Amino acid sequence: MKALRRFEKAPRAAHIEEVPTPKPGPEQILLKVDHCGICGSDLHAFLNHAGYESVLERVTFGHEVSGTIESIGANVKDWALGDRGVLTAIQYTDPQCPYVLAGDPQLSPTRRVQGLHLDGGMAEYIAVDQQFLNPIPDTLDLRDAALTEPLSVADHCVVNRSSIGPDDQVIVSGPGIIGMLCAIVARHIGAEVLISGTSADEEVRLSTARKIGFETVIVGPDLPPLHEQVMAHFGKEADAFLEASGASPALSASWQAVRTDGTVTVVALYGQETKLDVTQFVRKQIDVRTSYGSATPSYHRAIELLNNGIIPVEKLVKVYDLEDGIKAFEEAERQEVLKPLLKC
């Protein structure tokens, strides 16, 4: 089968290879991959960035996977040939881990990501442990279903970690796909959302945000600071701030744009240490929270949102053939595309 694989620990060291089709073990399912998204983590691994040293030297990328069951292992239950599903990306190896038992498996010290720490879904087939496959309804298009994992991350951020409710006024900092999906989930709850980005985000990301109904602002050295633009837009400070940009200055200055007793939730990862003037957060009693990954309930809610047509998938994604996977990575690196999907 064809697979898009990294072949050494070096920047852009990946290509399409012919590799054997995996054989499912007794507890595994062989999934015929339909679509697989390129995630920010995939891009960091592709570029061999610091912080991704745990990624295997040789590995098939891809954890945002949708597909159809081709074959099943001898001990697989509740699944049949032809069933459709999406992969749980962050997996655990110790089912007795306290975080797994508490319903937060993505926080387990035993966690691993399929597509970084074992072969993933940028391929024609993928072998998946049965407990890490989620069923999807027949009415959900498999292309759309490939957005389940990033949408579940946004759902976890907004629903579980942010205390956002109807009529709240919310800033989403960073209009990448996670920020965009956070904005859509918050809007679906009933919040009023303002999305901020830089001038580099205007051509693809901010313009897309406006096309799907969001107000946007641009921040930068020669522009009014975000908190002034927030006051001009909402008439007051925001109730909640979702930091999805990964830009340290955005997080450092977030307290200025949030009301007293508001919340700042960080869903981004950062390439460097970030300094916070904690006293300013304390004096406004702002809750600073973080959000990492997602668990099964968020996957289920994401599938429901997708199946109900809440997510404007057509306006968010660009589909490439698997053979054009390197082109998709390169266009993602240049921010020429909001969300690349590979048709496998």
Side-chain angles (χ1 to χ4, degrees):
M1 69 171 188
K2 294 183 177 66
L4 199 166
R5 291 177 57 81
R6 166 172 160 160
F7 57 85
E8 66 174 316
K9 289 193 173 186
R12 301 175 182 82
H15 56 209
I16 298 291
E17 290 185 27
E18 284 285 344
V19 297
T21 301
K23 298 184 183 301
E27 309 286 341
Q28 287 189 316
I29 290 166
L30 182 67
L31 198 69
K32 182 178 175 62
V33 179
D34 194 271
H35 282 78
C36 182
I38 294 179
C39 171
S41 296
D42 297 319
L43 185 58
H44 285 301
F46 174 73
L47 296 173
N48 200 38
H49 282 164
Y52 289 81
E53 290 81 8
S54 67
V55 178
L56 294 178
E57 181 173 22
R58 298 184 64 84
V59 67
T60 299
F61 289 131
H63 57 264
E64 299 176 355
V65 179
S66 67
T68 304
I69 294 179
E70 184 85 0
S71 64
I72 58 176
N75 298 332
V76 171
K77 300 176 181 179
D78 302 322
W79 290 99
L81 301 184
D83 286 350
R84 305 153 82 243
V86 292
L87 178 70
T88 296
I90 302 176
Q91 304 170 0
Y92 55 86
T93 57
D94 178 10
Q96 298 305 311
C97 169
Y99 293 100
V100 174
L101 296 174
D104 292 310
Q106 76 277 18
L107 303 181
S108 172
T110 72
R111 68 180 180 260
R112 62 186 187 182
V113 178
Q114 188 155 7
L116 298 177
H117 307 120
L118 68 162
D119 283 338
M122 292 186 195
E124 295 178 274
Y125 296 92
I126 180 176
V128 182
D129 290 354
Q130 61 178 328
Q131 71 265 37
F132 300 130
L133 192 65
N134 305 278
I136 60 173
D138 291 340
T139 49
L140 179 56
D141 185 275
L142 282 167
R143 180 204 64 178
D144 297 1
L147 278 184
T148 299
E149 194 276 340
L151 181 56
S152 75
V153 171
D155 176 272
H156 178 60
C157 174
V158 174
V159 174
N160 299 332
R161 302 295 296 161
S162 301
S163 302
I164 292 171
D167 301 320
D168 280 351
Q169 293 173 316
V170 178
I171 306 161
V172 174
S173 169
I177 191 61
I178 295 298
M180 201 80 76
L181 293 174
C182 283
I184 293 169
V185 173
R187 180 172 66 182
H188 183 65
I189 290 172
E192 181 183 359
V193 180
L194 179 68
I195 299 179
S196 70
T198 67
S199 57
D201 295 315
E202 171 57 29
E203 183 174 355
V204 174
R205 296 175 170 187
L206 290 176
S207 62
T208 299
R210 291 192 295 275
K211 288 175 184 175
I212 61 175
F214 290 105
E215 298 288 336
T216 66
V217 294
I218 296 177
V219 294
D222 301 322
L223 296 167
L226 179 59
H227 68 275
E228 291 183 5
Q229 298 193 61
V230 167
M231 288 293 296
H233 181 78
F234 289 141
K236 64 181 185 66
E237 295 164 323
D239 299 294
F241 190 113
L242 305 180
E243 210 315 273
S245 73
S248 294
L251 178 57
S252 298
S254 60
W255 66 271
Q256 295 177 294
V258 179
R259 65 168 171 82
T260 296
D261 210 26
T263 61
V264 173
T265 306
V266 185
V267 68
L269 298 175
Y270 298 80
Q272 64 287 317
E273 289 187 5
T274 299
K275 292 183 178 180
L276 298 182
D277 186 348
V278 177
T279 296
Q280 302 299 340
F281 289 87
V282 172
R283 285 178 173 160
K284 294 181 77 172
Q285 195 173 290
I286 293 171
D287 285 349
V288 180
R289 307 173 184 176
T290 60
S291 181
Y292 178 72
S294 61
T296 299
S298 287
Y299 275 81
H300 290 171
R301 288 193 294 267
I303 290 167
E304 183 178 2
L305 289 172
L306 287 161
N307 194 45
N308 290 339
I310 304 302
I311 312 302
V313 177
E314 192 72 37
K315 293 183 172 66
L316 300 177
V317 306
K318 180 178 178 180
V319 178
Y320 304 76
D321 289 336
L322 176 61
E323 291 82 353
D324 294 326
I326 297 300
K327 176 184 176 183
F329 269 98
E330 291 170 347
E331 292 189 359
E333 180 186 1
R334 297 192 295 266
Q335 296 188 7
E336 295 174 0
V337 57
L338 178 59
K339 182 60 180 179
L341 295 183
L342 301 185
K343 183 172 177 56
C344 297

